[in-house]
Amino acid sequence: LACLTMLISSATARKCGQEVCSLFLIVLVTSLIVDSHCCQGGGWPRKGSNIITMEDSYVDAGHLSTNEWRRVLIPLDDLETTEWDLTEVYAITFHRCGNNLLGTESAKATYHISSLAVTNNAIELISYAPSSAPSVYVYDDLLLATHRHVAHHWYPIFHPDREPDGHIWVYAENNAWPTVSGNPDPQTVTLLIPEDQIVTYSGDDGIKYDKIIVKGSLTIQPNNTDVFLTATTIIVESGGEVDIKTEGDSVHTIAIEIDGALDLTKDPQETMVGIVAWEGNLTITGNEVVTKMAGLSVVASVGTNVLKFYGVNLGFTVGGELVLPDTQTGLNVGHWSFNGYVDQTEICKIVSITSSLFGETHITCEHVLIYNHSVGSKIAYVTRSIKIFTSPSSISRGHILHTGLGKFEVRNARIENFGRTTIDVIDSTKIQPTNLKFGPMMKQMEVTYQGTNQIARYAMHAHHSKIEAYFTGNAVLYSPRDGMVAHNSRVHITDNIIVGADGTGIFLEDSTETGPIVNNYIIGTGGGSR
């Protein structure tokens, strides 16, 4: 039998006067044999309710029907558990659960809902089936649908039949990364990893993919060689897993290059280009970084290429990069742009490392410094074993976004030239559904307004994530607006370096965000949002 599971978060009490109401959930519903959605609350922390079986005294005539509307009345008190007394009810949303009407676990049942209300006025249920049935649901051609709903927004639909001429799809089989024959043009190959495939990628196949769609499992990890992968978009679908990792003190690295262009016809709200997890599991884990910030023990003067730091065994490596912040004084602070400000941030590429007898580390840079940098100023080490970057040849910049359920953890990675939303006034494209019918969670969308600065395309973004996310030990370099963003999500933002975010280094979007923000270092390079 299908079930209705409610998860209602602890945030704001619903009250009648000074007393909590006796609440009922009233639904006019018929059951279908398609994907099921049950209830879940937003906010943090979530608390699980009792499970309600949709039969007997809860439903007209004692059970649901596939071809008749039935009224359902669920007293919210029936959701109470020994761990939770249902105080501070905040929200109800639908969440997947339940078996289908045949009693098997595949093809889960859905409730076709005509109306829903939460009220303190109970309705009477009838003891016989209602006389009227729902109208027949006529489906239009599914190829006319353009978007599917995931978590909080509408996202494009992918299918081989929707691709332009010259584009191909390849599929992972036998748990192996597929071989692409011939020499395809860049951004013409879509690679799909189906639900039953567990694939590891450990090399450089030389293909510039259009899309890598992961419904199964993909691990990107070195195996005695560096790893390089190029794609326009990596999509982690609901239930899919992408695990990008280097282990221990491995000298081998991972570089993921985002290279491609937005297609505003298929994707008018610019959700693509980058790495997006739509209720998928995305984890990125680089090698631990011993020292992320170190203080200069003497002034780093114009013309020198030697930097001196307090302490030894800092964990820096030859070939690594340090960012020296702008430490100039005497600026006109009466205006946000400092009136003619010239940025004095510099980068040092390390060519040698020595330790002095006085407990210092001496670094030799590839080039001499152009500006002075004050004693004691913190120098940021931004090299990581995993680098994810927008290609200099890419028409559109990449972004990283997670939404909904799944997993989202980014640790010790370098994210460079990511983010697409700029510091200009937000001007988002608007879409609305047509009247075509495609069944649950699918729509044909049409553009009602074409914007020029789409919101929410930031370098790293937890967007209505319903899980606890982690941004730890990363280096985020050069974003046209915000570096790290938590939006209605709980995110641990700790020990990160953010350089050159033109807007805000770390941005909490709605004031509903939670999680520690500790020991991060933000280096501005000019710009600003007025």
Side-chain angles (χ1 to χ4, degrees):
L1 291 173
C3 74
L4 181 65
T5 303
M6 287 188 178
L7 301 178
I8 304 175
S9 70
S10 175
T12 305
R14 298 180 185 272
K15 297 187 178 226
C16 296
Q18 299 300 316
E19 301 298 328
V20 176
C21 301
S22 297
L23 292 177
F24 301 88
L25 182 69
I26 301 173
V27 188
L28 184 59
V29 64
T30 183
S31 56
L32 303 172
I33 304 179
V34 289
D35 274 349
S36 172
H37 284 73
C38 296
C39 290
Q40 178 176 357
W44 194 273
R46 299 184 193 92
K47 296 183 179 180
S49 70
N50 191 21
I51 294 175
I52 299 296
T53 302
M54 302 264 273
E55 62 180 8
D56 298 334
S57 60
Y58 294 112
V59 185
D60 278 332
H63 62 89
L64 293 177
S65 168
T66 59
N67 58 7
E68 292 181 322
W69 291 114
R70 299 291 171 90
R71 290 187 295 179
V72 176
L73 177 70
I74 302 173
L76 293 193
D77 286 346
D78 287 11
L79 299 172
E80 185 174 337
T81 68
T82 56
E83 291 78 23
W84 182 30
D85 63 3
L86 297 181
T87 56
E88 298 185 328
V89 175
Y90 172 60
I92 300 174
T93 58
F94 287 96
H95 182 51
R96 199 167 289 202
C97 75
N99 295 329
N100 65 31
L101 300 180
L102 302 178
T104 61
E105 292 188 357
S106 61
K108 297 175 181 178
T110 279
Y111 307 110
H112 184 176
I113 297 174
S114 173
S115 63
L116 182 148
V118 178
T119 177
N120 60 342
N121 298 314
I123 62 170
E124 292 185 4
L125 297 180
I126 56 179
S127 59
Y128 54 90
S131 58
S132 61
S135 59
V136 177
Y137 200 88
V138 178
Y139 293 91
D140 289 296
D141 183 353
L142 290 178
L143 287 178
L144 296 176
T146 60
H147 288 71
R148 37 45 189 282
H149 194 269
V150 181
H152 196 77
H153 286 290
W154 293 93
Y155 296 98
I157 295 172
F158 311 118
H159 192 272
D161 292 340
R162 298 170 181 267
E163 299 291 346
D165 292 340
H167 285 234
I168 63 172
W169 280 43
V170 295
Y171 303 86
E173 296 179 334
N174 301 317
N175 295 324
W177 186 266
T179 300
V180 181
S181 59
N183 187 24
D185 290 335
Q187 293 90 36
T188 61
V189 178
T190 293
L191 187 153
L192 174 64
I193 299 178
E195 290 89 341
D196 61 346
Q197 294 296 298
I198 303 174
V199 175
T200 298
Y201 178 86
S202 297
D204 177 4
D205 66 1
I207 305 297
K208 290 190 173 184
Y209 293 94
D210 179 33
K211 298 182 291 294
I212 298 173
I213 304 172
V214 182
K215 296 184 177 181
S217 174
L218 170 62
T219 299
I220 301 174
Q221 182 178 18
N223 184 12
N224 297 319
T225 186
D226 293 341
V227 177
F228 193 88
L229 179 63
T230 301
T232 300
T233 313
I234 299 173
I235 302 112
V236 193
E237 296 279 13
S238 177
E241 299 179 358
V242 168
D243 187 13
I244 305 168
K245 61 183 178 181
T246 57
E247 292 186 338
D249 57 355
S250 171
V251 297
H252 296 295
T253 62
I254 297 173
I256 296 179
E257 177 187 50
I258 298 301
D259 189 358
L262 289 163
D263 183 342
L264 297 182
T265 300
K266 294 181 179 179
D267 181 27
Q269 292 190 315
E270 304 183 19
T271 61
M272 304 286 284
V273 185
I275 303 177
V276 292
W278 298 334
E279 297 211 310
N281 301 277
L282 175 60
T283 55
I284 302 171
T285 311
N287 292 352
E288 288 290 337
V289 180
V290 176
T291 304
K292 303 174 184 69
M293 297 172 281
L296 288 174
S297 59
V298 297
V299 173
S301 301
V302 173
T304 186
N305 68 337
V306 176
L307 307 179
K308 298 180 180 181
F309 296 92
Y310 299 109
V312 295
N313 300 320
L314 300 179
F316 300 158
T317 59
V318 172
E321 290 186 323
L322 298 165
V323 175
L324 288 75
D326 183 339
T327 61
Q328 64 181 298
T329 60
L331 295 173
N332 178 5
V333 297
H335 189 268
W336 66 272
S337 68
F338 302 131
N339 286 337
Y341 166 75
V342 176
D343 177 40
Q344 296 186 3
T345 304
E346 297 189 73
I347 292 182
C348 162
K349 185 174 183 180
I350 301 171
V351 296
S352 70
I353 304 172
T354 59
S355 298
S356 76
L357 297 176
F358 304 102
E360 291 184 332
T361 295
H362 294 179
I363 299 288
T364 302
C365 303
E366 186 176 42
H367 302 290
V368 298
L369 299 179
I370 301 174
Y371 303 107
N372 292 324
H373 300 274
S374 302
V375 61
S377 60
K378 296 295 184 182
I379 310 304
Y381 185 61
V382 295
T383 295
R384 302 291 186 269
S385 60
I386 297 174
K387 180 180 178 180
I388 302 172
F389 65 102
T390 299
S391 170
S393 64
S394 184
I395 295 173
S396 303
R397 293 172 65 104
H399 73 122
I400 297 176
L401 178 145
H402 174 277
T403 190
L405 300 172
K407 189 175 184 180
F408 190 27
E409 299 180 4
V410 184
R411 293 182 168 92
N412 302 315
R414 174 166 167 164
I415 314 298
E416 187 168 353
N417 290 319
F418 259 48
R420 205 156 49 238
T421 308
T422 73
I423 58 172
D424 292 334
V425 174
I426 294 297
D427 182 34
S428 295
T429 296
K430 298 177 182 179
I431 60 176
Q432 69 178 18
T434 67
N435 293 325
L436 297 183
K437 300 177 181 179
F438 305 103
M441 316 310 287
M442 296 174 66
K443 296 288 185 183
Q444 181 189 68
M445 290 293 183
E446 61 182 8
V447 174
T448 59
Y449 174 76
Q450 185 67 57
T452 59
N453 189 27
Q454 187 70 34
I455 197 171
R457 307 297 172 245
Y458 312 120
M460 291 177 60
H461 186 191
H463 181 67
H464 299 272
S465 297
K466 298 179 181 178
I467 42 79
E468 198 158 9
Y470 294 83
F471 299 164
T472 302
N474 303 290
V476 177
L477 279 64
Y478 316 124
S479 169
R481 191 178 181 102
D482 302 326
M484 295 181 172
V485 177
H487 182 191
N488 193 30
S489 303
R490 178 173 175 82
V491 188
H492 296 242
I493 304 176
T494 59
D495 298 316
N496 299 286
I497 307 291
I498 298 105
V499 179
D502 288 347
T504 303
I506 298 172
F507 182 46
L508 309 182
E509 193 162 346
D510 276 357
S511 301
T512 58
E513 294 74 28
T514 61
I517 302 176
V518 179
N519 203 39
N520 300 285
Y521 187 23
I522 301 172
I523 299 176
T525 57
S529 55
R530 293 183 293 278

